[in-house]
Amino acid sequence: MWRFRHAATHYLDPLLRPAAGWLPTFGVITHRGRRSGRTYRTPVNVFRRGDNYLFFLTYGSDAQWVRNIVAAGSCGLRTRGRDLRLIEPELIHDPELSQAPLFVRLVERHLAGADEMLRMRAAPSAGANGPP
């Protein structure tokens, strides 16, 4: 567990949140609390690989946003100015971070010591399949 997690959540996240939904390799996850029912918006690093969106879990799979998304089975994502609905969360343990770009492998593996990721896919759009 990263020891600066509390400071990042309370001080850095509010600064990143307005821009994260527009920047490459960043996004803002919208999810609902498991117990509180409150809506949260969490800035994250996100990488697209084919039909999948990958989130490298610097704080580990016990981070509240990860637990909320896995419990709900879906979440919203705003990245590069686009809003998506992501479904089918899957926690993956990948010691080699084989799907990650090189700079992510260096940071996540060597600096953060992380080797977990959350993989999700975009839900089909309502326009393509008709109304839900």
Side-chain angles (χ1 to χ4, degrees):
M1 183 95 38
W2 191 47
R3 66 178 168 227
F4 299 112
R5 181 170 160 179
H6 178 77
T9 300
H10 287 88
Y11 302 109
L12 188 58
D13 284 3
L15 295 173
L16 287 174
R17 202 173 289 121
W22 298 92
L23 298 171
T25 74
F26 281 93
V28 178
I29 291 283
T30 303
H31 56 96
R32 189 168 304 280
R34 299 180 310 286
R35 291 176 279 200
S36 69
R38 180 179 167 202
T39 299
Y40 293 94
R41 294 176 56 240
T42 306
V44 293
N45 283 111
V46 59
F47 302 91
R48 185 173 181 184
R49 290 290 177 262
D51 294 335
N52 295 315
Y53 289 83
L54 303 172
F55 304 89
F56 296 90
L57 307 179
T58 304
Y59 302 138
S61 59
D62 65 335
Q64 293 301 313
W65 71 269
V66 177
R67 295 174 68 190
N68 289 339
I69 290 169
V70 169
S74 66
C75 68
L77 172 66
R78 180 166 189 83
T79 185
R80 295 183 177 218
R82 294 183 52 221
D83 291 315
L84 304 165
R85 187 86 190 138
L86 300 181
I87 58 174
E88 300 175 359
E90 179 183 9
L91 289 169
I92 299 169
H93 177 77
D94 182 1
E96 301 303 318
L97 295 174
S98 58
Q99 298 182 49
L102 178 60
F103 75 94
V104 173
R105 279 184 267 165
L106 293 173
V107 171
E108 293 294 325
R109 181 75 172 144
H110 298 292
L111 297 179
D115 60 3
E116 293 179 291
M117 66 182 96
L118 178 66
R119 179 172 58 197
M120 299 183 76
R121 68 177 185 87
S125 64
N129 298 326

